Amino acid sequence: PGRSTGVRMKRLLATAALASALAGCATSGPAPATSAPTTAKSPYESEILATVDRFLLAIGNHDDEALEEILITEGVSWIQTIKPGEEQPVRPYTNASMMEPDPDADPFIERYWDPTVTVRGGLAQVWAPYELRDNGEQVHCGIDAFDLVHLDGAWRVASILSTMEPESCAAMMPSSPAAMRPRDGWKE
């Protein structure tokens, strides 16, 4: 008897808490027409974007020392090539493989624009269209999604999700090259 009473009491309390929570969600009507949704910018947004800029400069310039400071080597990133009518499988690659020396590596430029930054605590994500150029020629465009974590007082790249879309550059490019970043520091 004592045990079933305890279970019934827990259920009753849970039901009461749920009813109270639902009542708090109820509204007396639609929101006034003058209210607009607001989005608060994170105070860390410029710091996060600067980290993405440093990462792209490090990877494009093959600067392993800078890359080591920014990239969490234990992570795994994912890439997919997309062409009209053909989506190749998503492929994983370890972040540590980005650190492997390549004597034949040629510097390249990868710039992004219109980033969407979301932050919660020590976690952040940057989603942005990008363009990759090699020897001055446009190779492909796509979407980069960077996952970042705040460790030891600095933002670091944990993983990257990236599409490579050679046929989509015309549709994706910004209206002005001034919108692209990072602007300076390329070795190409």
Side-chain angles (χ1 to χ4, degrees):
R3 184 174 191 172
S4 69
T5 303
V7 170
R8 278 185 276 179
M9 183 58 81
K10 286 180 184 175
R11 286 183 184 160
L12 179 62
L13 289 172
T15 303
L18 179 60
S20 175
L22 291 173
C25 293
T27 61
S28 59
T34 57
S35 68
T38 59
T39 39
K41 264 185 136 176
S42 168
Y44 303 109
E45 186 168 320
S46 61
E47 194 177 327
I48 290 164
L49 291 175
T51 300
V52 171
D53 291 354
R54 285 193 315 275
F55 170 79
L56 291 174
L57 286 167
I59 197 94
N61 292 333
H62 304 291
D63 183 343
D64 293 338
E65 287 181 29
L67 195 58
E68 193 171 336
E69 291 177 16
I70 300 165
L71 184 66
I72 297 174
T73 57
E74 295 84 7
V76 175
S77 293
W78 299 83
I79 194 165
Q80 183 179 32
T81 300
I82 301 172
K83 296 179 181 176
E86 176 191 350
E87 285 189 14
Q88 295 183 5
V90 177
R91 295 176 289 127
Y93 59 98
T94 64
N95 291 355
S97 69
M98 290 186 233
M99 301 293 297
E100 294 172 2
D102 182 358
D104 298 326
D106 186 27
F108 60 87
I109 295 174
E110 184 171 340
R111 297 182 301 172
Y112 66 100
W113 57 92
D114 298 332
T116 300
V117 180
T118 54
V119 184
R120 183 72 173 188
L123 304 175
Q125 185 174 58
V126 176
W127 177 281
Y130 77 94
E131 172 198 52
L132 188 131
R133 289 186 168 271
D134 191 16
N135 294 316
E137 298 293 319
Q138 190 177 64
V139 177
H140 64 261
C141 295
I143 296 295
D144 276 341
F146 297 91
D147 293 322
L148 296 96
V149 295
H150 197 259
L151 295 173
D152 301 322
W155 289 98
R156 298 185 63 203
V157 174
S159 68
I160 304 119
L161 304 174
S162 187
T163 64
M164 294 179 1
E165 304 178 49
E167 311 297 321
S168 69
C169 291
M172 295 181 81
M173 293 300 290
S175 57
S176 168
M180 301 171 94
R181 56 184 298 166
R183 292 189 192 106
D184 302 315
W186 298 105
K187 289 184 180 175
E188 189 192 61

